[in-house]
């Protein structure tokens, strides 16, 4: 689909499962934890951990009991590791095309500041964005309108469009505020797979695309 962008347009993105697959962050974190707990045979432990996750087992409970470590340590390792993740195909060309049209770029994402900023840095996209809104820094999470109003306050008089994936919480506020909105369809690897429960008018984006590379800037 085509999006018209000019110097009074701000395109706002979600992060997890919109610009990359959050499952890849989980795999990256599991690798870091496995290397910490069992450095000589970390691959075996990683394979076991990921299989347990896929089977909805409590991975951290297993690790804490088996390796006699506190869950808090595992959580810290998970949140603070240096992630090995890559953006979806088409993300970098899309960001560049928006900038070439003099449009502004922003992020609205839930999570902890250190973790989310580490993800942006690992993806190599931090410098593209004119404003980054992270729930921990603002003190509110989506769907709270404050997260979106902070964009409007920064970019007064701009046309806003939000591109995200989670219909449970991503589009409620922008719909109320009159933003344009685009939903990215689950590619089968999203962390949250219960979107079908929230297919109501207030939750749905204006339109869906199968992949980020389907969005074209005019």
């Amino acid at each position: 689909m085509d999006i018209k962008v000019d110097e009074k347009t701000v395109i706002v993105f979600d992060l997890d499962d919109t610009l990359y697959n959050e499952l890849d962050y989980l795999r990256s974190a599991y690798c870091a934890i496995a290397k910490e707990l069992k450095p000589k045979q970390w691959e075996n432990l990683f394979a076991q951990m990921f299989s347990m996750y896929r089977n909805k087992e409590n991975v951290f409970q297993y690790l804490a009991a088996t390796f006699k470590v506190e869950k808090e340590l595992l959580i810290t390792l998970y949140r603070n590791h240096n992630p090995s993740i890559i953006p979806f195909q088409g993300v970098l060309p899309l960001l560049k095309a928006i900038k070439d049209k003099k449009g502004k770029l922003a992020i609205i994402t839930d999570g902890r500041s250190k973790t989310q900023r580490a993800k942006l840095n690992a993806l190599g996209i931090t410098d593209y964005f004119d404003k980054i809104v992270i729930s921990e820094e603002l003190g509110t999470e989506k769907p709270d309108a404050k997260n979106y109003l902070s964009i409007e306050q920064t970019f007064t008089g701009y046309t806003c469009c939000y591109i995200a994936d989670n219909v449970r919480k991503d589009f409620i506020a922008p719909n109320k505020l009159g933003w344009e909105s685009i939903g990215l369809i689950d590619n089968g690897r999203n962390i949250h797979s219960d979107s079908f429960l929230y297919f109501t008018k207030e939750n749905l984006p204006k339109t869906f695309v199968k992949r980020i590379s389907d969005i074209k800037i005019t």
Side-chain angles (χ1 to χ4, degrees):
M1 68 166 297
D2 293 342
I3 304 178
K4 180 175 175 55
V5 172
D6 58 27
E7 66 277 2
K8 293 297 288 184
T9 304
V10 55
I11 307 298
V12 189
F13 291 88
D14 173 48
L15 176 55
D16 300 313
D17 282 327
T18 297
L19 297 180
Y20 81 106
N21 263 135
E22 190 175 2
L23 187 64
D24 291 335
Y25 180 83
L26 179 142
R27 288 173 60 88
S28 173
Y30 277 12
C31 279
I33 293 169
K35 289 176 180 178
E36 181 73 21
L37 297 179
K38 201 172 183 180
K40 292 185 178 179
Q41 290 185 307
W42 70 266
E43 295 94 341
N44 289 7
L45 180 57
F46 166 75
Q48 183 179 6
M49 291 166 63
F50 192 65
S51 179
M52 292 177 70
Y53 166 79
R54 293 288 299 274
N55 200 46
K56 296 182 170 56
E57 300 290 333
N58 192 321
V59 177
F60 282 7
Q61 181 175 306
Y62 166 78
L63 294 176
T66 302
F67 293 93
K68 302 298 186 290
V69 297
E70 296 292 330
K71 286 186 182 180
E72 288 73 16
L73 172 62
L74 300 173
I75 293 170
T76 297
L77 288 170
Y78 187 98
R79 291 174 178 168
N80 295 340
H81 83 287
N82 291 319
S84 177
I85 52 177
I86 59 173
F88 285 136
Q89 183 177 1
V91 166
L92 295 180
L94 178 60
L95 299 181
K96 186 177 185 302
I98 294 167
K99 285 295 190 181
D100 287 345
K101 289 287 187 175
K102 309 302 182 184
K104 299 296 184 181
L105 285 165
I107 286 276
I108 298 177
T109 179
D110 286 345
R112 287 166 175 78
S113 178
K114 185 174 181 179
T115 300
Q116 298 307 91
R117 289 187 181 276
K119 292 173 182 177
L120 289 168
N121 289 334
L123 294 169
I125 59 177
T126 301
D127 291 343
Y128 281 97
F129 291 95
D130 302 288
K131 185 175 180 66
I132 296 171
V133 177
I134 300 175
S135 62
E136 184 183 58
E137 297 175 3
L138 194 62
T140 58
E141 294 186 350
K142 296 179 287 185
D144 196 306
K146 290 180 183 177
N147 301 60
Y148 302 84
L149 289 171
S150 68
I151 299 294
E152 292 190 354
Q153 290 161 5
T154 299
F155 304 104
T156 304
Y158 278 67
T159 298
C160 300
C161 177
Y162 193 45
I163 301 173
D165 71 285
N166 191 342
V167 299
R168 180 176 64 83
K169 63 178 181 177
D170 282 336
F171 303 108
I172 295 171
N175 284 344
K176 290 179 179 177
L177 293 170
W179 291 20
E180 294 299 319
S181 55
I182 300 172
L184 191 64
I185 297 172
D186 183 356
N187 63 5
R189 300 184 70 241
N190 281 23
I191 288 285
H192 303 291
S193 58
D194 60 352
S195 289
F196 72 96
L197 296 172
Y198 304 96
F199 268 57
T200 64
K201 184 178 180 180
E202 70 173 358
N203 287 72
L204 289 176
K206 301 290 177 58
T207 188
F208 280 104
V209 293
K210 288 180 66 177
R211 57 188 67 85
I212 206 84
S213 57
D214 291 336
I215 302 171
K216 307 300 181 184
I217 303 304
T218 62

